[in-house]
Amino acid sequence: MSYQHKELAGGRWFELDLAEQLANIGSEVERAILWRDRNEDYSRKAFYRVLELLELTLSDKKNRKYSLLKELCRLKEVLIDFFCGDNNFSSSDELMRKYFYAFAYMARR
């Protein structure tokens, strides 16, 4: 598999705690939102990076002990629905920002 985040996929991602991982995913989600109306290609590429980072997070063994796989899988489902689907979960830019803001705050502390 070809990764956009080669350094992170090479092992650095697994050194981050969950809050830092989700804060980074949130940054890519923010980019995808910001570019959505301006440049569809940039938005799509940002969303692909979101999925890549989320897959790395799902594969991180330390996250399994927290029994977070269910929430992480649901997050993936919601993000795909929001960016590519019919938005059946009624997500919004604001809801996405609020969800990920908490992790950015935690990661900075």
Side-chain angles (χ1 to χ4, degrees), residues 44 58 86:
R44 185 176 62 259
L58 282 164
D86 296 329

Side-chain angles (χ1 to χ4, degrees), residues 20-32:
E20 292 170 313
Q21 290 174 346
L22 287 169
N24 279 285
I25 292 169
S27 294
E28 292 294 351
V29 168
E30 181 67 20
R31 285 184 193 94

Side-chain angles (χ1 to χ4, degrees), residues 59-95:
S59 68
D60 190 344
K61 288 182 178 27
K62 74 176 173 287
N63 293 334
R64 293 177 191 263
K65 70 180 179 183
Y66 297 119
S67 302
L68 294 172
L69 292 180
K70 184 176 180 180
E71 181 173 349
L72 292 171
C73 289
R74 179 56 54 101
L75 174 60
K76 182 178 177 182
E77 181 181 9
V78 169
L79 288 167
I80 291 171
D81 178 58
F82 181 61
F83 285 104
C84 303
D86 296 329
N87 198 15
N88 293 319
F89 295 106
S90 301
S91 299
S92 67
D93 296 350
E94 185 63 26
L95 284 173

Side-chain angles (χ1 to χ4, degrees), residues 8-48:
L8 292 175
R12 200 171 129 243
W13 187 255
F14 305 112
E15 295 171 11
L16 303 176
D17 65 32
L18 181 63
E20 292 170 313
Q21 290 174 346
L22 287 169
N24 279 285
I25 292 169
S27 294
E28 292 294 351
V29 168
E30 181 67 20
R31 285 184 193 94
I33 289 170
L34 291 174
W35 282 109
R36 189 176 40 219
D37 295 331
R38 296 185 222 163
N39 187 319
E40 186 178 325
D41 185 50
Y42 285 6
S43 179
R44 185 176 62 259
K45 287 178 181 177
F47 179 63
Y48 290 158

